Amino acid sequence: MSSVTYDHVVKRYTADITVVKDMYVEIKDKEFMVLVGPSGCGKSTALRMLAGLESITEGEIRIGDRVVNNVAAKDRDIAMVFQSYALYPHMSVFDNMAFPLQMAHMKKPEIDKRVRSASKILGLDNFLSRKPRALSGGQRQRVALGRAIVRSPKVFLLDEPLSNLDAKLRGQTRIELQKLHRELETTFIYVTHDQVEAMTMGDRIAIMNAGILQQVGTPGEVYDHPANLFVAGFIGTPTMNFVPVTTSDSSAKASGFELKLPKAVPAGKGMLGFRPEALTDKPSDVSTLEMKVDVVERLGSDQFLYGQVGGDAVTARVDPRMKVEPGDTAKLGLDVRGLHLFDAQTETAFF
Amino acid sequence: MTVAAAAQPTSSATMFSPRWIADHLSRWPLHIAVIGLTAAWMVPTIGLLVSSFRPFSGQATSGWWTAFANPTTFTISNYTQVLSAGTTNLGQAFFNSFMISVPATVLPVSIGAFAAYPFAWMKFPGRNGLFLALVGLLAVPLQLTFIPVLSFYVQHLHWTTNNLEATGIPGLPWVPLWLAHAGYGLPFSIYLLANFFRALPSDLFESAEIDGAGTLTVFFRIVLPLSVPALASLVIFQFLWVWNDLLVALIYVGGTPSVAPLTVNLAGLTTSLGQGSNLLTAAAFFSMIVPLIVFLSLQRYFVRGILAGSVKG
Amino acid sequence: MDFSLLLQDIPTLLVVILGVPVVLAAYIVGGEYLVRRLPDKNRPQVRPWIWVGPALILVAAYLLIPAILTAIQSLESNNVDVLDPGTWGTNFVGFKNFARQFADFPTGGAWVAIRNNVIFWLIFYTIFTLIFGLILAVLFDRVKYEQFVKSLIFMPMAISSVALGLIWDFMYEYQPPGEPQTGTMNALVTTLFHHDPVSWLQDQWPGESFNLLNNLALIGAATWGITGFAMVILSAALKGIPGELLEAARVDGAGEITVFRRVILPLMMPTIVVVGTTLVIFALKAFDVVYVMTSGNYNTDVLAYRMYNQLYLASNSGGASAVAIILLVAVVPVLIFNLRQFRAVEARR
Ligand SMILES: Nc1ncnc2c1ncn2[C@@H]1O[C@H](COP(=O)(O)OP(=O)(O)O)[C@@H](O)[C@H]1O
Ligand SMILES: [Mg+2]
């Protein structure tokens, strides 16, 4: 069993610097879990506590059923890929990958076998005698992966492994990583600040902000049912539209329109959210918005309209065939199934 | 020519075109200044070098520059005389210099590397205070330490050159000097290496920790191999400093020919030879051989070491 | 040359070359082995001390403790065994050693040494070296054969001060007027300026109480040796200045001199300060050149040489200690400045 549990984990550097706050999450065996959040929110710290590189202030981290709080990093049966790759610059690719095995006092033939099979998987066969500085960024990244693979660890930890690659390579490697996950059948915990990476790779996503875990769920769940305003705004590009509304019973009134809510909510101030694709060029009788269009972006498959509805900035993603020019006022329909409403005070979602 | 130059207005002026000549003429003062200054800087050394190939009669009566008018007077007799056994003990002194310099380099560099490692990568109480104290000791004049160390050597350990030689154990007469050089060299050694170690990326250490490497493995297999440039420059520094040192050697082993290094021997010659100063020129050049070889072959490291020690600090 | 001696002793050399590292490696491996026997909890507390232990012991034994003992010795008469705390205070003479050193202002030996160190050496050695170093660095930066000329200037760094002293003895050689001059300097003086030859190391121009000339001669020799060091560091700092900055200034209409004064110099200031501090320490510790060239005669004494002289030639350990303490006092401001700088750099890390 190589599930991982963060059981109410806290990381405090000093009395007033708490970087991870009461984190609880269970990561299942063989799962690809992505920890995502803006820079500085404590993702790396959370990962490094699991790796054994940072002490745990409060709570427990379990790998399988074993509490690892006081287990040395090398004995946790984990492997980690660093953002900088952390390749030993003076060792060849082979030696880099062999190093952890040598440290485990493995026999030479076995080391050889494992390094070769890993390098085959990663397509590094021809570079084994090179030093890291003679490799391209993508190759270095694969050596870092290889060094993790050879140990056949129970859990793979990856801290922003793609952020030093160019966009094209990043796309390819994303796919390769997913393939690797299927082949190795091991638990992956992947840290990134890029929500696209998170959405495309994760079996489940854990979204963090300011040291607090916001929501854990499949990409579909967090996209369709964000638990709060932060998650709603963080996931998805272009970002969700937010319009302040006043609610009374099951209707909401914004500065530029008024609509019926699918569910009754307490009267008061709220924040209405809807994604750009919830707007269509077909005005419906349920809710029609008049949008003063400022900018039109045609991307071939998509057409984005940026403009104002009443006093609120709104983005719409509409059929590219719709004819609209900057300065026009477009009549758009709003799909009520795509509506979210958040409490203005607590920022949690009503629906 | 001019057509070609006109056709490629963006490229630099073609060779020997009027513009090229003008450009290069305007740089003449610069070249003259650079070459002139360098040549002037070389005059003292060249003077001694030329003198060392002149007979005593020539040296005493005319300047070294006059020798070129009469090249037949050049001779190597100064060198053969000064290197022949008996007159100057230069051979013994040369050997002594090696016996002193090698351990007096290895000790502070290795012990310094051991100490620099925790200063850079371990947490322990008093770490910063101790490091600051070491930085402070960099400026303390060595003269301040001679009397107590010497009297401890002589009165308590009975480590006089005579006593140590009497034991018959080879190398022993230099132990006081090795240890002293180690003590004196350590603050700089630790300072330079700790700064270098600290600049290594922390990811490497964390990665090694996860890979299961212990402290020794990290030190010997990762830190040391990655620090070769710093170690090399430090070795050169310390070696040159010990090889060229006069004061410390004078204090702790004095002038006893069987243990004294080249510098002490040479300084002794300046007074003892008196009129035989023609030999001195050759002896001086002989004493420069090793440091110049070390310097010229490892110049790059040497310069890098200076920079690591002073600019970053 | 007696090569047989070299051959016969090569085994010793090898034993020493191999033996010393083996002993050191054995120590650290053994130490780590012991640390691993300890309970997990205590390892991080013990381990650093094993690694820094030998260094701390050596530094304490050769620098820290002796410096403190010297301070004590400087307050005692010569009959005290400074290593035996039982005798401390038995021959306490207070500041008598200092008083004796400071006698006869301004012609007393210590005063001359202090003046030479703290005025002549500190000012001229530091400033000459900085100016030469800066000029050479800036000029060399503009030519393609920079590396080559730099190594030539840098070369004196590799030779001992004893050899350096000899080289300059030959430069300063003096023959009575009318005779052919054998020293380069006097040849220049007599032929170019039609001046009488100068006895550079003995001439006390402009006067015995302010004998600048022969001190400058010594300082010149030392400056010649150290300029390469300053040049290399300053040149590295110069290369660290972005070329665009200089180009921007030129585009703004600044001439080369203005660019140097208003852009290059201010940007290099931190490095100049570091080099300057190091040179000040070197100036205060000056010994070898004086020892080899004048033995402190003709009012060219410096504190380090005086201390050596008091200890060996005058057998006056109390006096020698007092001189050493005077030297320390001269260094203290630099030391404090150094620590401040270091703290400031650390804070920016
Ligand atoms: N040693 C430390 N002392 C105090 N604060 C720290 C320390 N290390 C990291 N932090 C802070 O912890 C926060 C989280 O850092 P990190 O986990 O690296 O964020 P990220 O989500 O970008 O990976 C940051 O705000 C960082 O400044
Ligand atoms: Mg991070």
Side-chain angles (χ1 to χ4, degrees):
Chain A
M1 270 296 286
S2 46
S3 62
V4 171
T5 312
Y6 283 81
D7 194 347
H8 299 288
V9 170
V10 175
K11 175 70 192 182
R12 242 192 308 273
Y13 280 113
T14 59
D16 49 351
I17 304 182
T18 307
V19 177
V20 174
K21 294 168 193 156
D22 196 33
M23 176 171 177
Y24 186 92
V25 58
E26 288 173 36
I27 297 152
K28 298 192 213 88
D29 188 24
K30 303 196 177 83
E31 187 170 31
F32 198 126
M33 170 64 87
V34 179
L35 194 52
V36 66
S39 270
C41 72
K43 313 174 295 279
S44 294
T45 309
L47 195 71
R48 291 158 53 82
M49 282 192 282
L50 172 56
L53 298 173
E54 300 276 0
S55 62
I56 298 161
T57 315
E58 275 173 36
E60 266 181 17
I61 293 185
R62 290 190 291 274
I63 298 178
D65 296 327
R66 182 164 73 139
V67 178
V68 294
N69 286 33
N70 293 316
V71 178
K74 68 186 166 83
D75 300 324
R76 292 191 184 192
D77 218 348
I78 45 123
M80 181 154 167
V81 177
F82 291 80
Q83 177 176 355
S84 67
Y85 313 143
L87 300 181
Y88 308 120
H90 56 299
M91 296 186 196
S92 67
V93 169
F94 184 96
D95 289 337
N96 260 287
M97 297 214 273
F99 187 77
L101 304 179
Q102 288 169 356
M103 292 302 108
H105 303 292
M106 203 173 268
K107 291 263 181 323
K108 252 207 155 87
E110 175 69 11
I111 294 180
D112 214 60
K113 207 181 87 196
R114 288 209 189 189
V115 172
R116 283 183 200 288
S117 94
S119 58
K120 186 159 285 154
I121 296 175
L122 296 166
L124 288 169
D125 312 41
N126 296 328
F127 308 107
L128 284 178
S129 58
R130 286 211 199 158
K131 293 270 172 67
R133 87 177 89 83
L135 298 177
S136 70
Q139 288 163 342
R140 281 179 213 178
Q141 209 271 339
R142 273 180 279 159
V143 177
L145 278 176
R147 197 171 60 187
I149 290 175
V150 287
R151 306 176 59 189
S152 345
K154 278 194 199 148
V155 185
F156 267 99
L157 311 181
L158 303 100
D159 192 352
E160 314 227 6
L162 305 186
S163 50
N164 285 343
L165 300 180
D166 62 53
K168 187 161 163 248
L169 211 50
R170 209 178 306 163
Q172 286 171 8
T173 316
R174 229 155 58 192
I175 296 164
E176 278 175 30
L177 270 177
Q178 283 167 283
K179 236 169 62 192
L180 197 63
H181 174 240
R182 273 198 303 279
E183 278 170 33
L184 297 174
E185 300 196 321
T186 334
T187 313
F188 272 50
I189 303 179
Y190 184 106
V191 162
T192 178
H193 65 267
D194 178 352
Q195 55 96 15
V196 178
E197 263 175 39
M199 294 295 282
T200 49
M201 298 175 77
D203 292 333
R204 284 196 301 158
I205 304 177
I207 298 141
M208 242 180 133
N209 187 33
I212 298 169
L213 201 56
Q214 307 285 325
Q215 187 176 5
V216 182
T218 64
E221 279 165 13
V222 297
Y223 189 82
D224 292 333
H225 304 290
N228 58 33
L229 206 58
F230 175 80
V231 175
F234 188 75
I235 300 288
T237 37
T239 47
M240 189 183 273
N241 296 304
F242 293 111
V243 176
V245 291
T246 318
T247 53
S248 53
D249 200 17
S250 59
S251 78
K253 189 172 170 4
S255 64
F257 60 94
E258 190 172 353
L259 48 70
K260 254 189 94 55
L261 297 173
K263 250 200 254 173
V265 292
K269 297 242 173 275
M271 187 66 89
L272 191 69
F274 51 92
R275 298 200 180 275
E277 61 264 31
L279 291 169
T280 64
D281 54 351
K282 313 235 164 21
S284 69
D285 2 315
V286 194
S287 52
T288 301
L289 274 58
E290 293 203 350
M291 177 179 184
K292 200 172 161 303
V293 180
D294 297 326
V295 177
V296 178
E297 263 179 23
R298 295 195 182 87
L299 299 173
S301 61
D302 274 319
Q303 175 163 251
F304 290 104
L305 312 180
Y306 302 93
Q308 313 281 326
V309 175
D312 306 303
V314 165
T315 306
R317 180 176 167 189
V318 296
D319 194 300
R321 284 161 298 191
M322 177 179 178
K323 292 265 180 293
V324 59
E325 296 299 329
D328 292 355
T329 299
K331 274 193 183 335
L332 301 173
L334 176 59
D335 185 351
V336 230
R337 285 167 304 177
L339 277 185
H340 305 274
L341 185 67
F342 305 93
D343 187 317
Q345 220 77 65
T346 63
E347 301 194 344
T348 52
F350 290 115
F351 52 84
Chain B
M1 268 301 160
T2 44
V3 176
Q8 299 170 305
T10 50
S11 74
S12 62
T14 319
M15 230 195 247
F16 305 125
S17 71
R19 204 178 121 207
W20 185 88
I21 292 170
D23 273 1
H24 281 249
L25 271 181
S26 71
R27 287 174 60 83
W28 273 24
L30 174 66
H31 291 294
I32 290 170
V34 167
I35 294 168
L37 278 171
T38 311
W41 217 261
M42 304 277 301
V43 163
T45 323
I46 293 171
L48 189 75
L49 181 65
V50 173
S51 292
S52 73
F53 287 103
R54 300 182 71 205
F56 176 67
S57 55
Q59 277 191 24
T61 54
S62 58
W64 57 270
W65 54 93
T66 60
F68 294 109
N70 203 356
T72 50
T73 59
F74 283 124
T75 168
I76 58 162
S77 83
N78 292 332
Y79 284 91
T80 50
Q81 274 188 62
V82 84
L83 293 181
S84 66
T87 39
T88 56
N89 270 317
L90 223 50
Q92 173 79 50
F94 188 72
F95 173 78
N96 294 346
S97 274
F98 264 110
M99 283 302 290
I100 292 167
S101 304
V102 173
T105 303
V106 173
L107 278 170
V109 173
S110 349
I111 294 179
F114 291 158
Y117 182 40
F119 276 122
W121 287 105
M122 292 181 199
K123 286 209 173 83
F124 59 96
R127 181 179 81 164
N128 294 342
L130 277 177
F131 197 73
L132 212 59
L134 283 172
V135 176
L137 285 174
L138 279 173
V140 168
L142 300 187
Q143 285 82 0
L144 212 57
T145 68
F146 292 153
I147 302 166
V149 173
L150 194 62
S151 63
F152 187 68
Y153 275 172
V154 174
Q155 289 163 28
H156 291 252
L157 301 175
H158 304 292
W159 277 5
T160 59
T161 302
N162 280 342
N163 288 345
L164 293 175
E165 279 193 323
T167 60
I169 302 172
L172 203 60
W174 290 291
V175 167
L177 199 48
W178 294 345
L179 292 177
H181 273 305
Y184 297 149
L186 271 168
F188 180 66
S189 174
I190 296 173
Y191 175 68
L192 186 125
L193 290 178
N195 280 342
F196 193 90
F197 292 172
R198 207 176 302 178
L200 295 173
S202 63
D203 281 2
L204 287 184
F205 292 83
E206 296 182 339
S207 182
E209 191 183 338
I210 292 179
D211 285 347
T215 315
L216 281 177
T217 315
V218 172
F219 182 71
F220 283 106
R221 290 200 50 189
I222 295 175
V223 175
L224 286 191
L226 287 177
S227 305
V228 168
L231 289 169
S233 52
L234 188 58
V235 163
I236 300 163
F237 248 119
Q238 180 70 15
F239 184 86
L240 286 183
W241 145 245
V242 175
W243 184 278
N244 287 336
D245 158 74
L246 170 66
L247 182 57
V248 179
L250 214 45
I251 299 277
Y252 293 126
V253 299
T256 316
S258 56
V259 290
L262 263 178
T263 45
V264 172
N265 184 291
L266 198 59
L269 289 184
T270 55
T271 46
S272 68
L273 278 182
Q275 283 306 305
S277 63
N278 57 317
L279 297 190
L280 216 47
T281 54
F285 255 93
F286 180 72
S287 80
M288 296 180 200
I289 294 175
V290 170
L292 280 183
I293 290 176
V294 169
F295 167 73
L296 289 176
S297 52
L298 301 166
Q299 197 191 150
R300 252 175 350 129
Y301 284 127
F302 189 48
V303 171
R304 209 182 299 172
I306 286 189
L307 297 179
S310 18
V311 169
K312 271 204 230 147
Chain C
M1 177 166 146
D2 191 0
F3 282 107
S4 65
L5 167 127
L6 257 180
L7 290 179
Q8 158 202 325
D9 264 343
I10 283 206
T12 317
L13 192 61
L14 285 181
V15 166
V16 166
I17 290 177
L18 298 176
V20 172
V22 166
V23 169
L24 293 172
Y27 166 80
I28 206 70
V29 172
E32 188 63 19
Y33 179 82
L34 289 179
V35 168
R36 287 199 196 146
R37 310 281 103 167
L38 292 172
D40 271 5
K41 194 162 51 97
N42 297 335
R43 281 182 213 171
Q45 295 160 0
V46 176
R47 179 176 283 131
W49 300 107
I50 300 241
W51 288 75
V52 297
L56 291 189
I57 290 170
L58 280 170
V59 169
Y62 283 91
L63 283 167
L64 194 61
I65 297 172
I68 296 168
L69 292 179
T70 299
I72 295 171
Q73 169 100 67
S74 69
L75 302 176
E76 307 266 355
S77 84
N78 289 331
N79 313 322
V80 161
D81 177 2
V82 74
L83 296 170
D84 180 0
T87 68
W88 291 358
T90 54
N91 283 302
F92 187 76
V93 294
F95 289 98
K96 228 180 200 159
N97 286 323
F98 290 92
R100 216 174 287 150
Q101 291 297 324
F102 284 129
D104 301 333
F105 179 82
T107 51
W111 286 113
V112 170
I114 290 174
R115 180 204 67 192
N116 290 345
N117 256 140
V118 174
I119 301 180
F120 293 161
W121 277 83
L122 194 139
I123 294 177
F124 294 113
Y125 175 84
T126 310
I127 291 184
F128 285 172
T129 306
L130 278 178
I131 290 179
F132 278 135
L134 204 55
I135 291 176
L136 294 176
V138 170
L139 284 182
F140 289 3
D141 194 43
R142 290 145 191 256
V143 296
K144 289 217 182 72
Y145 43 94
E146 178 183 7
Q147 276 315 317
F148 178 69
V149 280
K150 260 171 145 179
S151 357
L152 290 179
I153 301 285
F154 196 54
M155 209 142 67
M157 280 286 290
I159 62 181
S160 67
S161 310
V162 183
L164 185 144
L166 281 170
I167 288 179
W168 281 89
D169 266 342
F170 275 79
M171 287 293 284
Y172 291 142
E173 242 172 25
Y174 169 85
Q175 306 294 344
E179 311 236 337
Q181 291 300 322
T182 50
T184 314
M185 296 298 271
N186 276 328
L188 289 177
V189 164
T190 49
T191 53
L192 285 186
F193 302 103
H194 302 291
H195 189 281
D196 277 348
V198 180
S199 175
W200 299 97
L201 295 175
Q202 293 167 21
D203 194 316
Q204 312 221 352
W205 183 87
E208 256 186 58
S209 55
F210 196 77
N211 53 319
L212 191 55
L213 186 69
N214 55 354
N215 274 307
L216 277 186
L218 292 180
I219 292 168
T223 301
W224 177 79
I226 201 70
T227 297
F229 161 83
M231 173 202 64
V232 165
I233 301 178
L234 293 172
S235 146
L238 186 62
K239 296 204 184 310
I241 299 175
E244 288 168 14
L245 226 53
L246 307 184
E247 277 159 18
R250 285 183 195 127
V251 170
D252 290 345
E256 286 309 298
I257 306 273
T258 315
V259 169
F260 179 78
R261 267 199 20 222
R262 304 282 300 277
V263 184
I264 296 180
L265 213 50
L267 285 174
M268 286 179 70
M269 215 19 107
T271 311
I272 293 177
V273 168
V274 170
V275 178
T277 332
T278 315
L279 289 173
V280 166
I281 294 176
F282 287 170
L284 292 175
K285 291 194 199 175
F287 172 83
D288 298 22
V289 170
V290 176
Y291 175 87
V292 180
M293 294 179 74
T294 63
S295 302
N297 290 318
Y298 321 110
N299 288 331
T300 58
D301 207 357
V302 286
L303 286 169
Y305 183 74
R306 183 171 175 82
M307 192 230 121
Y308 172 84
N309 202 343
Q310 290 280 312
L311 185 61
Y312 282 91
L313 307 181
S315 295
N316 176 7
S317 58
S321 304
V323 175
I325 295 294
I326 297 171
L327 188 51
L328 178 68
V329 170
V331 171
V332 161
V334 187
L335 199 148
I336 292 172
F337 181 78
N338 249 12
L339 290 181
R340 284 241 179 103
Q341 290 280 101
F342 181 75
R343 277 245 168 97
V345 170
E346 284 295 286
R348 266 182 269 131
R349 272 188 117 95

